[in-house]
Amino acid sequence: MPLTDLSLPELEQYAPNREEPPDFDEFWAGTLAEARAHPMKPSLDLVDAGLRTVEVHDLTFPGFAGHPIRGWFLRPYGVVEDLPCVVEYIGYNGGRGLPHEWLLFASAGYAHLVMDSRGQGSGWRRGDTPDRGADPVEPQHAGFLTRGIGSPQTWYYRRLVTDAVRAVEAARVMPGVDPSRVAVCGASQGGGLALAAAGLAEGVAAAMVDVPFLCHWRRAMEVATQDPYPELVRYCAVQRHRIDQVLTTLSYVDGVNFAARASAPALFSVALMDPICPPSTVYAAYHHYAGPKRMQVWPYNGHEGGQSYQEVEHLRFLRDTFGR
């Protein structure tokens, strides 16, 4: 995997102007107000996952338009105190999978809410949440990026980002969670959703953003060599008359714009040989992030990033942030 983007010294200076629609804040305030009209009353069903040290609940909470969103809620077994909670989002076309795939944070003494991604979960880990808001009448390219992309109101990622914000709100009312200590995290698409939640949700105390997707779209479409960003390129190559509208829609869900509204301490990571989420798109979001921040660089890795090495950094960051 060769370097295909800017050099590290160039990346450390790369802070492009944001492409932000004038009604960005109004759009998201209205979208979230509509979602919040549905009371946040999550349901929890205890699951026998065969684990002795971790308690697992099957979670359902109301997301966009009140649609039921599935997830897992895990806690260290037998602990009665209110704990910090990590809300985790999943990469592109992955789902919540099975409970034993999510042992790290509960084993480290944190509550852990894993959000399923609506309509996804048939690519590499199973999902269980349908996309109830899908509109099949508009042409789209295979995948999720162009689903409803003719308008920011109908675009798939309006629904998914709203779900991500509502997941934070669900975590803050979970039994045994300290609502003042909720962190968000994710890699790739999950990292982009963590950025969105950090910028839009109330009460986010920390953010862990790894090799984030959904950032600096125009640049990503020009330099990414592996999907998902090329889905948009292939769509625009055919739907030539829609390019301006596509770029407008994308600007409403851009991690660069969400980053400018985030204030929680953040740990980012970037992989300099990443062909999927180019390093320049990650640094664009990083440099616009408004809160305290640190970047972990993996110089010889692709989109896998730091993997278990980055998990060590997560635990250190959480310990420093939450004092446990």
Side-chain angles (χ1 to χ4, degrees), residues 235-320:
Y235 178 87
C236 289
V238 175
Q239 301 282 357
R240 297 169 177 84
H241 61 294
R242 294 188 170 204
I243 292 174
D244 288 344
Q245 180 56 58
V246 166
L247 292 172
T248 296
T249 297
L250 295 172
S251 68
Y252 285 87
V253 180
D254 192 327
V256 176
N257 296 332
F258 293 130
R261 291 161 169 81
S263 60
L267 172 64
F268 281 72
S269 72
V270 64
L272 299 189
M273 294 186 174
D274 190 341
I276 293 174
C277 293
S280 57
T281 67
V282 177
Y283 270 95
Y286 176 76
H287 286 309
H288 282 286
Y289 193 88
K293 60 198 174 188
R294 176 171 72 84
M295 178 70 83
Q296 179 69 46
V297 178
W298 302 105
Y300 297 109
N301 286 95
H303 194 55
E304 75 280 0
Q307 294 181 311
S308 57
Y309 284 80
Q310 188 64 23
E311 291 178 336
V312 173
E313 299 299 322
H314 288 169
L315 296 180
R316 289 173 178 164
F317 174 72
L318 290 173
R319 182 186 59 202
D320 292 344

